[in-house]
């Protein structure tokens, strides 16, 4: 099936300056506030869809991390910090997952994931939940997945222990899309430079009408960026991330890094998209951006043979709960 569902959280209002200030003193509030806010436009911001492009992307990330060692599909699956359901819903469409449950600390994200599933013609079970206290019984799931989630969790090792608790013996976890320490540094530098340059250029009289965001939208983006700095708690060295999972009790732990040249080009592209007026960029731009990412990702797979893993932008990790899979 192919569609691009509309988020159920579109009516959520933006955070105020006062709420942002309060969030600095309460990280859980910051996580809920930021992700409820993001639920309004998250799919558009990150070019998320539920068509073949993103089905292939999710499946490729999954197989790159795991090497596909287990029979498919996994019968019962949980996505941790699911957001709008990008990873689990596309993995379900790819035939990798069967019954899907989603959790997120943000009520807006849980509702968006459920609405996206409904639009695709199936149902997911959703709960508002803290990843450090997953509200399911021991030995419940065949697999736990996540995408760009553990860098938001205060105690990553505690979250891994919870993941292992709710997995059945022999069950697997697969976490993709986490920022490396080096990659996060250069991505932020590129993003700031692109944002500054785009704002300056789009204010030129010849471009202002079509390209420039109005001041209210720019102020809202600035508050979002301020909250993002609060909710992004960690970056990862691939080897240390593996050791964290091992300390939590996992076996068969493996990490895989991706995106080097793709990140050097991808972050300016993403920032440019966020900095211009909505609707200014069309389908041709989207095809260019995705095609460029695919070509550079192919280059990065070659570079991975000689470039140290810690220099890549994304790291993914998989591991298994001790015991035999049913």
């Amino acid at each position: 099936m192919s569609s691009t569902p509309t988020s159920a959280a579109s009516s959520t209002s933006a955070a105020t300056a006062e709420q942002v200030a309060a969030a600095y003193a309460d990280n859980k509030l910051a996580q809920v506030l930021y992700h409820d806010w993001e639920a309004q436009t998250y799919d558009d911001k990150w070019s998320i869809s539920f068509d073949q492009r993103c089905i292939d992307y999710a499946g490729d990330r999954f197989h790159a991390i795991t090497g596909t060692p287990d029979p498919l599909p996994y019968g019962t699956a949980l996505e941790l910090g699911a957001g709008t359901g990008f990873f689990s819903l596309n993995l379900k469409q790819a035939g990798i997952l069967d019954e899907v449950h989603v959790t997120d600390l943000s009520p807006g994200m849980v509702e968006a994931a459920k609405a996206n599933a409904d639009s695709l013609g199936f149902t997911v079970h959703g709960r508002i939940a803290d990843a450090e206290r997953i509200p399911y019984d021991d030995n419940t799931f065949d697999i736990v997945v996540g995408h760009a989630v553990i860098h938001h969790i205060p105690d990553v090792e505690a979250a891994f222990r919870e993941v292992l608790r709710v997995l059945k013996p022999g069950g697997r976890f697969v976490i993709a899309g986490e920022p490396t320490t080096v990659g996060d540094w250069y991505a932020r530098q590129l993003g700031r430079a692109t944002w500054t340059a785009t704002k300056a250029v789009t204010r030129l009289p010849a471009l202002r009408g079509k390209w420039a965001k109005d001041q209210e939208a720019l102020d809202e983006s600035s508050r979002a960026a301020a909250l993002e700095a609060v909710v992004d708690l960690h970056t990862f060295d691939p080897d240390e991330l593996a050791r964290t999972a091992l300390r939590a009790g996992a076996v068969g732990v493996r990490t895989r890094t991706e995106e080097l040249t793709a990140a050097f080009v991808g972050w300016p592209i993403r920032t440019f998209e966020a900095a211009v007026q909505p609707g200014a960029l069309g389908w041709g731009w989207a095809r260019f951006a995705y095609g460029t990412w695919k070509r550079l990702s192919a280059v990065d797979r070659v570079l991975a043979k000689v470039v140290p893993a810690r220099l890549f932008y994304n790291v993914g990790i998989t591991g298994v709960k001790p015991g035999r899979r049913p």
Side-chain angles (χ1 to χ4, degrees), residues 252-313:
V253 174
R254 165 181 169 173
T255 61
R256 169 73 179 262
T257 54
E258 298 182 295
E259 292 194 18
L260 182 62
T261 64
F264 273 101
V265 174
W267 274 100
I269 286 175
R270 291 167 186 161
T271 306
F272 174 70
E273 291 170 345
V276 301
Q277 191 174 127
L281 301 171
W283 178 242
W285 171 268
R287 290 178 62 189
F288 156 76
Y290 181 60
T292 300
W293 178 86
K294 285 190 69 173
R295 288 188 291 272
L296 293 178
S297 292
V299 172
D300 291 342
R301 287 193 287 273
V302 176
L303 292 176
K305 298 175 182 179
V306 295
V307 176
R310 64 187 180 85
L311 300 183
F312 286 72
Y313 175 71

Side-chain angles (χ1 to χ4, degrees), residues 109-191:
M109 287 295 193
V110 172
E111 289 306 311
K114 290 165 67 176
N116 284 337
D118 288 344
S119 297
L120 294 166
F122 53 83
T123 299
V124 299
H125 310 276
R127 291 188 184 182
I128 301 163
D130 187 330
E132 296 169 4
R133 292 180 292 276
I134 301 173
Y136 288 93
D137 293 336
D138 298 358
N139 308 318
T140 298
F141 297 103
D142 296 298
I143 189 167
V144 174
V145 301
H147 190 278
V149 55
I150 60 173
H151 70 285
H152 294 308
I153 300 171
D155 191 334
V156 175
E157 187 173 333
F160 274 131
R161 287 196 296 269
E162 275 292 275
V163 165
L164 292 168
R165 180 185 65 78
V166 301
L167 280 171
K168 297 175 184 177
R172 177 173 297 279
F173 64 83
V174 180
I175 309 294
E178 299 296 337
T180 66
T181 300
V182 175
D184 182 73
W185 178 83
Y186 60 68
R188 289 186 185 276
Q189 301 305 311
L190 290 166

Side-chain angles (χ1 to χ4, degrees), residues 1 5 43 48-51 54-55 58 79 82-98 100-102 112-120 122-125 145:
M1 287 176 284
D43 289 351
I48 287 173
S49 64
F50 300 90
D51 56 11
C54 282
I55 293 170
E79 184 174 10
T84 61
F86 158 73
F87 203 39
S88 58
L89 300 190
N90 280 312
L91 290 177
K92 179 175 174 63
Q93 292 190 99
I96 294 171
L97 309 181
D98 187 9
V100 173
H101 297 248
V102 298
K114 290 165 67 176
N116 284 337
D118 288 344
S119 297
L120 294 166
F122 53 83
T123 299
V124 299
H125 310 276
V145 301

